Amino acid sequence: METTRLEAFSDGVFAIAITLLILEIKVPPPGTALGAELLGLWPSYLAYVVSFLVIGAIWINHHAMFKHIVRVDGMLLLLNVLHLMLIAFLPFPTAVLAEAFHRGTDEPIAAAFYGGILTVIGIFVNAMWRYAARGNRLISTHLTATKIRKINRHFLIGPSVYAIATVVALVVPWLALLIFVLLNVFYLWPRWGHESAPSRIGDPTVSSDRSEND
């Protein structure tokens, strides 16, 4: 089964989830001091930026993963659906996080809840990749064992760091937010100079011509 429909559906869910983030930022009510009210919305702005970066980074890694995964089966479809379920859920912990910082109470719980969701998302990313890569089940034949191990390590960074940040959030929520931001800046940062993999033109397992980059 080709990956085209899975990728198209996934892109749609990512697009909707990242758009819904803005709905948490409410317009100040009439009759209030607009400038002060806009400044007072800073927790919502912060939560929006963090989650936008998170979803953007996850989308980039999902795109990179499916440059290597060239076909899908029922189990991979299920894992991807569960992964997307959590992506679609992310606007809720984002709103919880912003509200906690607005009130100035329960920030550790809100930040830990947010980090816990990100950790589970990262676990599903790893589950998808490892299922597809095990025994070269669903991945391109151009990937060497060394390359697969490198990708394994790359994908493990996310849930590992998110889990650490979740624990940190219970003590220093601001530090946890900084860790979330730095991790996703790392994933978003262009990695120039990576070699291109051999072309897969003519490979019957590939539905389209896609360049192979790290």
Side-chain angles (χ1 to χ4, degrees):
M1 187 186 304
E2 296 179 349
T3 66
T4 308
R5 291 189 66 188
L6 180 148
E7 293 179 78
F9 177 69
S10 299
D11 285 348
V13 174
F14 278 110
I16 292 170
I18 209 168
T19 301
L20 289 176
L21 294 175
I22 194 61
L23 298 182
E24 194 280 324
I25 304 179
K26 308 301 182 184
V27 176
T32 58
L34 183 59
E37 289 291 330
L38 289 174
L39 289 174
L41 288 173
W42 66 265
S44 293
Y45 303 148
L46 176 62
Y48 171 78
V49 169
V50 172
S51 288
F52 199 99
L53 291 176
V54 166
I55 295 177
I58 295 170
W59 175 79
I60 287 174
N61 278 285
H62 191 273
H63 176 68
M65 184 190 303
F66 279 89
K67 287 183 176 179
H68 299 303
I69 298 174
V70 295
R71 54 194 172 274
V72 301
D73 62 8
M75 179 57 71
L76 186 64
L77 288 172
L78 175 60
L79 290 171
N80 191 64
V81 165
L82 294 175
H83 173 246
L84 294 177
M85 177 181 70
L86 293 166
I87 296 297
F89 181 72
L90 196 56
F92 175 67
T94 300
V96 170
L97 184 67
E99 182 62 24
F101 277 91
H102 272 298
R103 295 195 315 263
T105 58
D106 297 322
E107 295 100 325
I109 295 174
F113 175 54
Y114 185 83
I117 297 300
L118 297 184
T119 302
V120 178
I121 290 174
I123 290 171
F124 271 105
V125 170
N126 277 269
M128 284 193 296
W129 168 252
R130 289 175 183 274
Y131 174 78
R134 186 175 179 83
N136 288 59
R137 181 185 282 124
L138 301 172
I139 61 175
S140 168
T141 56
H142 293 301
L143 283 178
T144 64
T146 300
K147 178 69 172 179
I148 292 172
R149 286 194 296 270
K150 179 180 177 182
I151 297 172
N152 288 345
R153 292 193 298 269
H154 178 79
F155 281 133
L156 273 177
I157 294 172
S160 301
V161 175
Y162 283 139
I164 293 170
T166 299
V167 176
V168 170
L170 294 171
V171 182
V172 190
W174 277 106
L175 179 57
L177 291 183
L178 179 61
I179 294 172
F180 296 150
V181 170
L182 292 178
L183 176 61
N184 286 283
V185 168
F186 164 77
Y187 276 124
L188 288 165
W189 195 264
R191 287 180 284 279
W192 309 114
H194 283 198
E195 73 279 2
S196 294
S199 171
R200 303 209 302 267
I201 296 175
D203 186 340
T205 65
V206 182
S207 59
S208 61
D209 177 20
R210 293 176 294 184
S211 62
E212 190 83 50
N213 296 309
D214 287 345

